[in-house]
Amino acid sequence: MTDVLLRGGLPWGLGAPADVLVRDGRIHLVAQGVEAPGARIVDIAGQLVLPGLVEAHCHLDKTLYGGPWVPHSADDTLAGRIGNDLGRRAELGVPSAERIAALLALMSAAGTTHVRTHTDIDPLVGLRGVEAVLEAAASSPVDVRQVAFPQHGVLINPGTAELLEDALKSGVEAVGGLDPAGIDRDPVRHLDLVFGLAERYGAHLDLHLHDGGSLGGWELELITERTRVLGLGGRVTVSHAYALGQLDESYQDRLAQGFAEAGVAIATAAVYSFPVPPIKKLRAAGVTVACGHDGIRDLWGPYGSGDMLERAMHVAYRSTFRRDEDIELALEAATYGGARALGLESYGLSPGDRADLVVVPCGGAAEAVVVHPARTLVMKDGVVLHN
Ligand SMILES: [Zn+2]
């Protein structure tokens, strides 16, 4: 494998231009004036070098991307969206490995190197979504990790718990959950079940929590308590956590402290119709914050481009961030935060880290988020995918 020397870029966080020498799939050296005879040299003078972007919450199995535009006609209620999804999946050929592959190619060209995707598991679709994602991921450079996701409830949907376990047995990396109170009507049993699966299979747990207000707050306490008692810190993520954006400041502070101590991460998609978690407060408390698109061009909604810099812009915009240092928090969620939530090893811009890199023609992180221009270069495991 030929060495690659990225000449004159601005590695994020370094504060000065430096060359990045890539050897055998890893970052070998970050320094000024590197000499590397025989290396392929790419001049990126003055351009920002970021670690590979991490999409920490999406639904690849649901996507319609790559086919013709499908007009979105669902009424805007949860029941309407679920009905639209279930009613039209078969007709539109969802899940489709071909469409998932097309979306992964789009994401990769935009610099995404790692994806966590929530794959529907229910008695109707069985494990077909898991298989379609595996098939598409096999021919993609993107590192794809699945969450076995009970989109239609666990306790209220007999057969789903067994299928979640089958998915974990087949090698799916994480188990999901969905509104233990609002959907499944029994938060204690729901959480016992999904935490039990995570513990038994050494899996991550990433739970969708849309339940709002004090109900959602209480469920966040239950999740934090279980994470601490079971010693699952670093392996538990709560996705959406809309309640966090609705609670008063002192309750937010208490929950944030608990997440930091127990090792619970928060993933936000900055969904346009719900409050965004208080990212600044969470980061100040030491909580891992990740982000993602949620659905991309599917029966739940028409939006999503697959570009994590654009998604970081949505996160910053919805958080009403204006200062560069605040906007940078959104980029942190799309990179290091996502990497911590997913448990990625050797992630970053230091010698020894995997050479998963993206170069953007910008002078700094806030500009990269706001402008999100076309990527100059994308590299995965030391291989230049796009230049
Ligand atoms: Zn989701």
Side-chain angles (χ1 to χ4, degrees):
M1 197 175 184
T2 311
D3 291 358
V4 180
L5 180 64
L6 304 179
R7 177 82 82 193
L10 304 166
W12 185 29
L14 200 64
D19 301 335
V20 178
L21 179 62
V22 171
R23 178 171 293 166
D24 297 330
R26 302 254 168 186
I27 296 173
H28 185 69
L29 197 59
V30 181
Q32 288 182 352
V34 173
E35 292 299 329
R40 171 183 171 188
I41 295 173
V42 185
D43 182 6
I44 54 163
Q47 301 195 50
L48 186 67
V49 181
L50 301 171
L53 302 171
V54 181
E55 161 61 76
H57 184 119
C58 66
H59 295 264
L60 294 178
D61 62 316
K62 295 185 201 285
T63 195
L64 298 166
Y65 178 78
W69 179 263
V70 175
H72 194 71
S73 54
D75 73 64
D76 203 22
T77 60
L78 184 61
R81 289 194 290 266
I82 289 175
N84 190 49
D85 182 23
L86 284 177
R88 301 191 65 195
R89 278 199 304 210
E91 163 208 341
L92 292 166
V94 174
S96 151
E98 207 172 46
R99 290 185 178 195
I100 297 166
L103 180 52
L104 283 172
L106 182 77
M107 294 164 116
S108 175
T112 292
T113 52
H114 295 81
V115 166
R116 173 180 277 180
T117 185
H118 293 253
T119 308
D120 278 15
I121 303 279
D122 61 54
L124 274 180
V125 75
L127 299 185
R128 281 195 294 120
V130 169
E131 287 153 11
V133 170
L134 279 177
E135 186 185 333
S139 53
S140 168
V142 179
D143 177 330
V144 179
R145 298 169 187 217
Q146 297 195 65
V147 182
F149 174 49
Q151 172 73 75
H152 307 291
V154 185
L155 305 176
I156 59 166
N157 203 350
T160 302
E162 292 77 5
L163 285 165
L164 292 178
E165 186 156 6
D166 289 346
L168 292 172
K169 278 181 187 159
S170 78
V172 165
E173 293 84 356
V175 60
L178 176 70
D179 291 326
I183 299 280
D184 254 3
R185 319 297 295 172
D186 191 338
V188 171
R189 271 181 65 215
H190 181 107
L191 291 175
D192 283 349
L193 194 145
V194 295
F195 270 92
L197 286 171
E199 201 187 12
R200 276 210 302 290
Y201 288 91
H204 278 243
L205 171 62
D206 189 334
L207 203 140
H208 278 64
L209 187 66
H210 313 88
D211 286 340
S214 56
L215 176 63
W218 176 61
E219 291 175 90
L220 288 167
E221 290 182 52
L222 293 179
I223 290 164
T224 304
E225 185 187 23
R226 277 168 173 69
T227 305
R228 190 173 45 233
V229 169
L230 296 172
L232 292 179
R235 274 166 48 189
V236 175
T237 300
V238 180
S239 283
H240 301 316
Y242 297 142
L244 273 178
Q246 300 168 323
L247 300 168
D248 66 52
E249 291 244 352
S250 63
Y251 198 1
Q252 286 179 343
D253 287 337
R254 228 168 47 243
L255 287 168
Q257 202 57 45
F259 299 155
E261 283 165 12
V264 174
I266 299 296
T268 180
V271 176
Y272 51 86
S273 43
F274 293 95
V276 179
I279 293 169
K280 229 171 137 171
K281 186 187 282 291
L282 291 166
R283 291 298 299 130
V287 180
T288 290
V289 176
C291 67
H293 279 76
D294 211 7
I296 298 174
R297 194 83 73 76
D298 60 28
L299 288 165
W300 289 75
Y303 294 109
S305 67
D307 178 356
M308 282 305 295
L309 285 181
E310 184 195 65
R311 181 55 37 171
M313 190 269 285
H314 288 295
V315 169
Y317 184 86
R318 294 234 41 230
S319 300
T320 67
F321 292 159
R322 290 170 191 273
R323 295 151 58 116
D324 280 26
E325 67 203 61
D326 293 342
I327 294 170
E328 206 157 328
L329 292 176
L331 184 56
E332 207 271 347
T335 52
Y336 291 98
R340 284 194 302 279
L342 269 60
L344 304 182
E345 286 171 4
S346 304
Y347 177 90
L349 294 175
S350 302
D353 288 337
R354 302 176 79 97
D356 299 337
L357 303 170
V358 51
V359 177
V360 278
C362 294
E367 184 187 357
V369 170
V370 172
V371 181
H372 49 274
R375 310 303 109 100
T376 301
L377 177 140
V378 178
M379 178 185 280
K380 178 81 179 74
D381 291 318
V383 177
V384 176
L385 302 175
H386 165 81
N387 177 215

